[in-house]
Amino acid sequence: MGRGQELDLSSSGRDSKKGERVGGGGNVRFRSINSDLSLPLSQGLSCHLWDGDVLCLPGSLVSAPGPVLVPTRLQTELVLRCHEETDCDLCVRVAVHLAVHGYWEDPEDEEKFRRAADPELEEPRNASLQAHIVLSFQAYPTAHCVLLEVQVPAALVQPGQSVGSIVFDCFEAALGAEVQIWSYTQPRYQKELNLTQQLPDCRGLEVQDNIQSCWALPWLNVSADGEDVRLVLDVSEEQRFGLSLYWNQDQGPIKPWWHSNLVWPLEPDSVRTSICPFREDPRAHRNLWRAARLQLLPSRGWRLDAPCSLPAEATLCWQALDGGPCLPLVPPLPRENVTVNKVLEFPLRKGHPNVCVQVSTWEKLQMQECLWADSLGPLKDDMLLVETRGPQDNGSLCALEPSGCTPLLSRASTRAARLGEQLLQDVQSGQCLQLWDSDLGALWACPMDKYIHQRWALVWLACLLLAAVLFLLLLLKMNPVKGWLRLLKENIRAGAASRSRAALLLYSADDASFERLVGALASALCQLPLRVAVDLWSRRDLSAQGALAWFHAQRRQTLQEGGVVVLLFSPGAVALCREWLQDATSAPRAHGPHDAFAASLSCVLPDFLQGRAPGRYVGAYFDKLLPADAVPALFRSVPVFSLPSQLPDFLGILQGPTAPRSRRLAERAEQVSRALQPALDSCFRPPGALGTGCGMGPEAGVRT
């Protein structure tokens, strides 16, 4: 290709109005030009380019004396200015679209202007509208300002109408630079137009072979195998380059991790290229969300703490005491884009423990936190009422329930509908807490405790009457009364202990044999004064609610009743824990739809990391299935027992303050051990027996 040729990188131009950001790249075509600078014009326009650069001084806004010619839109196009086929420079072509703005203040002036351009006059004058257009181009470290004198014939002057465009061909720019373009008139009749464009580097160009500076850079490729990432440089022996790994962030300067001078070419401004290989990697996003935290701040403020920016939305939701999904407060409160590490304000007048924050990306829930639960206490049995107000002060109230927003004065078979009149009276008498108020409506939190107490009062009254009748009947037979009273005393004691202590058993479903062993342990514990919850007995609820929601409800109920969460460690459970703790040698694996242990780690791990686990959690493992040192150190902040050798101590911790004396406890431990023995024998078969045994399947093993 000879001198004076141009390579066009974009068949369709990029355009922008005020403040818009555009990119580059596109199809490729060659075109010959006759000069180093050209100004293509629309038909009827004339233009003169002043020699040399001018000062970029927009000045202040002035009023137009009448119709004026002003720029209305900027359009860019990337081209290559080539001296030879393999010796090209990147260039930005700018098109300025023009229009007529303003009107004649004096009709006589308009008439004179029209008559001067009338072709039927014997001696018509060449009347035209003239403007000085400034085009400013800045790309670090260079800046240019050019002045264009444009004229449009009077016949084309129609206020508010476009008159065409002029094209400046072109501004040279560096690869990968961010360029800013402004355009305005002198004097300035309106706010200047501006456009920001990120130019491609050598990786983003399809014609890098035509740019000699691209030949000096090595090409980078990134591949990942599990958690190991490999950076491959395609570089020849003659190349000299530098490699830097850094943390790119939106706020503040970049944080260098590592730098090796291999080295950059010894030039004052050498060509560089950069790549962010993990921007779209789902594993990197999972690690980022695991490190994110929601934090409640004073005066209704909150913040999402994360190492770097996250494209997410936040919404407030209402978490009922009886579990179930957290119900979004939309409407009336809209979703809000989240800016990480920035303090945000709750649009509420007062806080409430049942109000939670949900953060999601692309309709996927990433995290949920009830931020007021620590400062205002546990969840309350309150009903959330949504008040909507019409244009003529006619409002309505409905109760937020899982089935929807139920009108208070309706015939629906829900708790809110049955108590609709009472709740309406509570709002009117000021017994409900107003959480939010605006012209559109309000949110009210109404206590339900008194209605529950009334219902239980009737139940207790009926029980007392029944007890009195039974007592009279028993007086008729005095001989068996003592035995019956002794039996009744034991049952009442066992029932009280059962109600006062609950246990949630979490385990990893390594294989069928291990699940049978867990089932045998849960059944044996139920024979004691314990109430045991395990996902083996709740598969229908798991399928309906999902593993995470089921675990949330069970954990909340267990801890509120003073119970304990039991983490039963196995090879699979240890592997999952280390995977969540980002152990370098562990590899992600798929989990079953009913694996509550995998789903629970997102909530269990923060309790251990933030020191809230003691008193709430206890660990256990089977002697022959797992060595004692296999349990991760993080979980040893709570008691961890070996079964069945430490069964007495394990049962004492589970039963808490209601645990019997040591002799009785030893008897119960022996009872549980006998119940476990058949399942243990089935798990640990001797060598050569059929089956793989507990934790011996293809997915078992402790990762170190």
Side-chain angles (χ1 to χ4, degrees):
M1 184 182 345
R3 179 176 179 81
Q5 289 186 322
E6 186 176 84
L7 177 61
D8 192 344
L9 296 179
S10 177
S11 59
S12 60
R14 268 74 175 171
D15 61 87
S16 175
K17 295 187 178 179
K18 298 177 182 177
E20 188 175 350
R21 180 181 294 268
V22 297
N27 299 328
V28 177
R29 65 176 186 272
F30 286 91
R31 182 164 54 198
S32 298
I33 60 174
N34 297 323
S35 63
D36 292 338
L37 181 65
S38 60
L39 288 169
L41 304 172
S42 298
Q43 185 176 4
L45 294 179
S46 61
C47 182
H48 171 69
L49 174 65
W50 286 42
D51 294 336
D53 285 357
V54 297
L55 291 177
C56 297
L57 298 175
S60 57
L61 287 171
V62 298
S63 300
V68 292
L69 198 61
V70 295
T72 58
R73 184 163 60 94
L74 296 177
Q75 186 174 0
T76 62
E77 193 174 19
L78 298 184
V79 296
L80 290 182
R81 185 179 297 280
C82 299
H83 308 289
E84 295 181 0
E85 185 174 356
T86 59
D87 185 12
C88 301
D89 296 314
L90 190 62
C91 207
V92 180
R93 177 183 296 155
V94 183
V96 184
H97 295 262
L98 305 171
V100 178
H101 281 196
Y103 297 88
W104 296 101
E105 295 182 357
D106 190 346
E108 294 183 0
D109 294 339
E110 181 179 5
E111 183 63 24
K112 292 178 182 179
F113 184 80
R114 297 297 180 191
R115 292 177 58 188
D118 191 352
E120 296 182 358
L121 294 177
E122 295 181 358
E123 296 181 0
R125 288 172 289 177
N126 295 327
S128 62
L129 193 62
Q130 179 177 301
H132 289 88
I133 307 296
V134 176
L135 198 58
S136 172
F137 182 89
Q138 294 188 14
Y140 181 82
T142 62
H144 298 284
C145 274
V146 296
L147 182 62
L148 311 174
E149 184 178 308
V150 184
Q151 291 184 353
V152 57
L156 299 179
V157 176
Q158 297 291 335
Q161 299 294 323
S162 174
V163 297
S165 62
I166 58 176
V167 179
F168 184 83
D169 208 347
C170 57
F171 293 108
E172 291 189 1
L175 293 168
E178 182 180 84
V179 300
Q180 295 179 322
I181 305 171
W182 287 271
S183 182
Y184 51 89
T185 60
Q186 280 190 348
R188 189 159 63 94
Y189 299 120
Q190 65 175 17
K191 186 177 180 180
E192 64 269 18
L193 298 180
N194 67 82
L195 180 149
T196 301
Q197 181 170 358
Q198 183 68 46
L199 302 185
D201 56 15
C202 292
R203 295 180 60 89
L205 291 174
E206 300 178 1
V207 288
Q208 60 266 21
D209 293 340
N210 300 87
I211 303 177
Q212 292 184 359
S213 58
C214 288
W215 303 350
L217 287 174
W219 295 102
L220 291 79
N221 291 296
V222 177
S223 62
D225 181 14
E227 294 296 329
D228 297 328
V229 179
R230 177 175 299 174
L231 177 66
V232 180
L233 296 175
D234 185 6
V235 57
S236 63
E237 295 181 356
E238 297 81 12
Q239 287 182 283
R240 303 170 66 193
F241 63 93
L243 178 64
S244 176
L245 300 180
Y246 63 92
W247 183 280
N248 191 18
Q249 56 186 14
D250 293 339
Q251 303 172 357
I254 63 175
K255 299 179 181 178
W257 280 356
W258 174 80
H259 177 79
S260 177
N261 190 19
L262 299 179
V263 290
W264 288 109
L266 301 178
E267 300 176 7
D269 189 19
S270 56
V271 178
R272 305 184 181 192
T273 186
S274 63
I275 179 176
C276 296
F278 309 108
R279 189 183 301 274
E280 305 298 333
D281 193 329
R283 295 166 301 178
H285 282 267
R286 286 197 298 268
N287 293 336
L288 188 57
W289 279 110
R290 290 171 184 170
R293 293 291 181 270
L294 282 171
Q295 182 178 0
L296 180 66
L297 302 176
S299 184
R300 303 195 312 274
W302 67 283
R303 183 176 62 210
L304 175 61
D305 296 328
C308 55
S309 60
L310 291 166
E313 289 183 334
T315 185
L316 298 180
C317 63
W318 179 265
Q319 181 64 64
L321 179 63
D322 56 358
C326 197
L327 305 176
L329 303 184
V330 182
L333 300 181
R335 291 181 177 270
E336 181 180 4
N337 291 328
V338 178
T339 302
V340 286
N341 304 324
K342 179 182 177 182
V343 178
L344 301 173
E345 285 287 335
F346 283 112
L348 301 177
R349 300 180 61 180
K350 294 184 179 180
H352 194 281
N354 294 43
V355 176
C356 307
V357 179
Q358 285 184 337
V359 181
S360 57
T361 57
W362 300 291
E363 304 300 328
K364 180 182 180 182
L365 180 62
Q366 297 290 354
M367 59 191 315
Q368 174 182 317
E369 193 73 28
C370 299
L371 298 179
W372 276 293
D374 293 334
S375 59
L376 300 182
L379 298 180
K380 298 181 179 180
D381 189 17
D382 289 1
M383 181 71 69
L384 184 70
L385 303 184
V386 181
E387 179 184 356
T388 55
R389 297 168 182 165
Q392 300 178 354
D393 293 336
N394 53 342
S396 61
L397 279 171
C398 63
L400 193 63
E401 296 182 297
S403 58
C405 206
T406 307
L408 291 188
L409 303 179
S410 68
R411 297 182 178 179
S413 59
T414 64
R415 183 171 67 158
R418 290 193 298 268
L419 300 173
E421 294 184 0
Q422 293 92 320
L423 291 173
L424 187 58
Q425 293 175 0
D426 291 345
V427 173
Q428 296 172 350
S429 61
Q431 299 184 39
C432 297
L433 177 67
Q434 189 178 52
L435 303 180
W436 176 75
D437 186 32
S438 75
D439 296 337
L440 300 177
L443 294 176
W444 305 85
C446 299
M448 302 294 290
D449 296 342
K450 59 181 179 180
Y451 302 113
I452 297 176
H453 294 162
Q454 293 175 1
R455 183 173 58 186
W456 279 109
L458 296 176
V459 173
W460 279 111
L461 181 59
C463 292
L464 289 175
L465 292 175
L466 179 61
V469 172
L470 292 177
F471 182 74
L472 292 175
L473 293 176
L474 290 174
L475 288 178
L476 301 177
K477 297 183 179 181
M478 297 299 296
N479 292 333
V481 167
K482 292 183 179 180
W484 183 87
L485 289 177
R486 184 170 54 254
L487 179 61
L488 180 61
K489 181 179 179 181
E490 292 181 359
N491 289 338
I492 291 177
R493 182 183 300 170
S498 174
R499 287 190 299 272
S500 64
R501 196 63 169 171
L504 172 60
L505 189 59
L506 295 179
Y507 70 98
S508 173
D510 292 4
D511 51 39
S513 297
F514 187 71
E515 282 192 314
R516 286 193 295 271
L517 180 57
V518 173
L521 176 61
S523 299
L525 294 179
C526 285
Q527 303 302 319
L528 308 177
L530 286 173
R531 288 186 295 107
V532 180
V534 64
D535 63 350
L536 276 173
W537 303 337
S538 305
R539 289 296 168 85
R540 179 176 298 177
D541 293 339
L542 276 173
S543 300
Q545 301 177 17
L548 184 59
W550 179 87
F551 167 75
H552 268 296
Q554 296 296 328
R555 172 180 171 272
R556 183 184 305 111
Q557 181 179 354
T558 299
L559 296 182
Q560 286 179 350
E561 295 177 358
V564 64
V565 179
V566 181
L567 301 178
L568 190 57
F569 291 98
S570 64
V574 171
L576 279 173
C577 293
R578 289 182 174 170
E579 177 183 339
W580 275 81
L581 292 173
Q582 301 181 1
D583 184 56
T585 60
S586 64
R589 59 189 178 94
H591 310 304
H594 306 303
D595 197 345
F597 188 89
S600 66
L601 286 178
S602 61
C603 295
V604 170
L605 287 178
D607 287 345
F608 280 87
L609 292 172
Q610 298 173 12
R612 299 197 302 258
R616 296 181 172 187
Y617 293 84
V618 64
Y621 62 93
F622 291 101
D623 298 331
K624 299 180 182 179
L625 187 60
L626 198 70
D629 58 353
V631 178
L634 176 65
F635 298 97
R636 295 189 176 274
S637 60
V638 301
V640 180
F641 299 98
S642 176
L643 303 181
S645 59
Q646 296 179 336
L647 261 176
D649 295 335
F650 176 66
L651 297 182
I653 288 291
L654 289 187
Q655 294 183 257
T658 62
R661 297 179 180 179
S662 58
R663 180 177 179 183
R664 179 63 176 162
L665 197 61
E667 294 176 359
R668 292 180 176 178
E670 182 63 24
Q671 178 183 355
V672 174
S673 179
R674 287 196 301 269
L676 285 178
Q677 197 58 45
L680 288 171
D681 294 339
S682 176
C683 273
F684 306 114
R685 295 185 176 91
L690 295 177
T692 58
C694 278
M696 304 302 175
E699 297 182 356
V702 179
R703 302 173 185 176
T704 60

